[in-house]
Amino acid sequence: MNVLVLNSGSSTVKFQIIETDLELIKKNADRRLAKGVLERIGSESLITFVAETKGKTKTKTKMAKPIRDHRAAIDEILRWIISPESKIDHITSLSDIHAVGHRVVHGGEQFKISCRINDEVLEGIEDNIELAPLHNPANLKGIRAVTELLGNGVPQVAVFDTSFHSTMPETSYLYGIPYHFYRRYKIRRYGFHGTSHRYVAYRYRKIRKIERERVNVITVHLGNGCSMCGIKRGDSQITSMGFTPLEGLLMGTRSGDLDPSILEFLSHKEGMRLNQIDTILNKQSGLLGLSGLTSDMRELLEEEAENQDRRARLAIDIFCGRVRRYIGAYFADLGGTNAVLFTGGIGENSPVIRERICEGLKCIGLKLDKKKNHGAKPGAETEISAKDSKPRVMVIPTNEELLIARDTVRVVKNAPRRW
Ligand code: ADP
C-alpha cells in the first residue's frame, strides 16, 4: 500500500509517502517514496518536495508560491505527487494513494489507539480542541481537505501524539490540585511525542529481540521540543510533558518546569496578561531565553566553543542538567531500567550533549563508552555504553512518519495495533 502521511500544523503541512504493508512491516522493508514540506501557509509559501529511490533523492522541487489555506496546500501536494515531474515510483494517479495517515496532536482521554476517521472520531478530535487550541484545528483542516480532494473512498486514519501515554497510572497523571478540577475539566498530564517514544521503544525491542513485556527503558527525545518517557513492561508509566507540551525538560523555546507562582508575580510586575506570559514561556524561553542568542542547540554549541559565551554555556548546562535529573527520577520511579535511549535532532546527532547529560550518572551504574559515543553515525542505531554499564545507553533515530504509516495499514487491514 502507498500511504500518504500528513502532519498539518498551523502554518505548515509536512508529508511523506511510504510504501508499506503487513508483510513489509514484518520484514522492516517498507520504504519512503517521497517527502515534502509547505511552510508559511496563508502567505507566500515555501515549498520543498523530494521524490526518493532507495533512500536517495531522485527529483527535487523547490519554489515559492502563494498558498491560501490547508486545502490549497494539500491540493498542491497531491498535484505534485501525480505530476510527471515528480517521478515518484509506482505513482501516476491519485488512485495510487491507498490510505492517508494523519498525525493528530491531542486525543484526550478517549483515543487510546490509532483509529479510522469517521464522523464520531472527527467529533472526538473537535471535543479536544479546548486541550490543544493551536494543533487540533490544523489537524482537522488537513483531514477535511483530504476528504474533499480524495473523497470518502480513501480510508483516513488518525494517529495521536497522546495515545501511547494512555497507560499511565493515575498516580502519574494527576496533579496535586483539587480533584474536582480533573473531574470537571480533565486537567491532568496527557504527555506528547507518544509516537516517537513508542517507535524508539519498538526498535529497542526488535534490536534486542525481546518480548514487548520485557521492554523496561527510559526514552529521551531531544529536538526543538523535548520530552522523556519511563516505560515499564512495554507501557508508558510516566512522561515529562504534561497537560500541555510546556512541562518538563528545558526546550528550544519552552521553559519546561517552573514554579507556577512566577506567572502571578510576572503579571503583577510587568503588567502582562496571562496569555502574554504563556507566549513568553512557550516561545521566548528555554535555550533561547537563557542564552539570549538562539534556540538552536548546534548554534549554541558553536557559540560556546568558539566564543566561550557564558550564557550559551549556562543554557546548555541547564538543559543537560534537567535531562540528567529526569533520568535519575525515572530510574527511581521505575525501580531501575535496562536502557536509556536517545533520539530527536539533538539526541541523535550530538555526542557532546549525550556525554554532558550522562556525566554524573555513574551513581546509577550508567557509563558511556566515549569512543562509541563520538563514533555513532547520524541515522544509525548504535549502542554507546561501556561494557560494564547497566543500564545500556543507545542512540535510536526516531521515525514518527513510519509509525503513522504502519498504524494506518494496521487499522485499514484490521490488524492489531499494539507494537
Ligand atoms: P523538531 O523537534 O522540530 O523535529 P529536531 O528533532 O530536528 O526538531 O531537532 C532540532 C534540534 O536538533 C535543533 O536544536 C538542532 O540544533 C539540533 N541538532 C541537529 N543536529 C545537531 C548536531 N549535530 N549537534 C547538535 N545539535 C543538533
Side-chain angles (χ1 to χ4, degrees), residues 290-306:
L290 280 169
S291 70
L293 293 170
T294 171
S295 64
D296 190 289
M297 182 59 93
R298 206 169 1 189
E299 289 173 16
L300 274 185
L301 285 165
E302 279 163 19
E303 270 307 315
E304 187 193 29
E306 285 164 23

